[in-house]
Amino acid sequence: MKKIKTTVTILFSVFILVASAQEDTISLNLTDKTVSFIEAYSAKQQPNSSIDDVDHFLSFFADDFKDEHIKYGVVVADKTEFKKGLVDKLQNKVYFHRVTIEDIMMGNNVAFVKIKIWAKVKPYHMDTIVEHTTGQIMSIEFDENGLIKHLRRHHN
């Protein structure tokens, strides 16, 4: 009987270690994916950005997604509409656009990312150049395939 208890205890311990290692691997993968997403977010708004950069950025999103700009009450949930807006922004004269990650906090299927944006842009529909530095906190919820199903942007 003691041998059976010892065997069960060992098997249970191995199961816990394997499950924990899988969670750590998933968390590391989502951390890498989060960093790659922020890099793609920045890359789509550079002086030499192209439609390929827009498509790469959009590849991080699930087909059924929601992108919310909380401060402005704007919600986008259609990739065609999303892409059109991003392609329109390619007409902007971008002098520079830098995005730095200030902090990342990971959950089971979510990342909270604090970023800083420093940009100088002349929007195609305006006559003036806009230069700004701002912060943003993003809540990025991933689906079971590691794609973004819900992005919440909290602007300063």
Side-chain angles (χ1 to χ4, degrees), residues 24-42:
D24 289 345
T25 300
I26 290 168
S27 179
L28 285 174
N29 289 342
L30 289 182
T31 301
D32 291 344
K33 186 165 284 253
T34 300
V35 170
S36 295
F37 170 71
I38 298 301
E39 289 169 353
Y41 173 77
S42 180

Side-chain angles (χ1 to χ4, degrees), residues 97-109:
H97 184 268
R98 292 186 187 94
V99 179
T100 57
I101 296 174
E102 303 286 305
D103 199 7
I104 296 179
M105 186 170 64
M106 298 302 299
N108 200 21
N109 70 329

Side-chain angles (χ1 to χ4, degrees), residues 30 33 59-60 142-148:
L30 289 182
K33 186 165 284 253
S59 73
F60 285 88
F142 296 96
D143 69 9
E144 61 280 351
N145 297 314
L147 296 172
I148 297 170

Side-chain angles (χ1 to χ4, degrees), residues 54-153:
V54 169
D55 287 336
H56 178 65
F57 172 74
L58 290 172
S59 73
F60 285 88
F61 290 86
D63 289 335
D64 183 23
F65 76 97
K66 188 183 289 188
D67 177 14
E68 288 185 83
H69 294 257
I70 303 301
K71 180 177 181 178
Y72 305 109
V74 174
V75 178
V76 178
D78 177 83
K79 272 195 179 175
T80 303
E81 176 187 347
F82 200 12
K83 183 173 182 173
K84 182 187 179 325
L86 296 172
V87 169
D88 285 349
K89 285 185 175 185
L90 291 176
Q91 298 174 63
N92 293 346
K93 168 73 172 146
V94 178
Y95 297 91
F96 61 83
H97 184 268
R98 292 186 187 94
V99 179
T100 57
I101 296 174
E102 303 286 305
D103 199 7
I104 296 179
M105 186 170 64
M106 298 302 299
N108 200 21
N109 70 329
V110 68
F112 295 94
V113 185
K114 181 180 178 183
I115 60 173
K116 188 174 200 174
I117 303 166
W118 181 32
K120 183 176 180 181
V121 178
K122 183 187 172 297
Y124 69 93
H125 62 285
M126 295 173 62
D127 292 330
T128 59
I129 295 171
V130 178
E131 184 171 356
H132 71 280
T133 302
T134 187
Q136 195 178 107
I137 296 174
M138 293 181 173
S139 159
I140 308 169
E141 187 178 343
F142 296 96
D143 69 9
E144 61 280 351
N145 297 314
L147 296 172
I148 297 170
K149 67 179 179 179
H150 201 157
L151 173 64
R152 292 175 184 90
R153 305 177 199 216

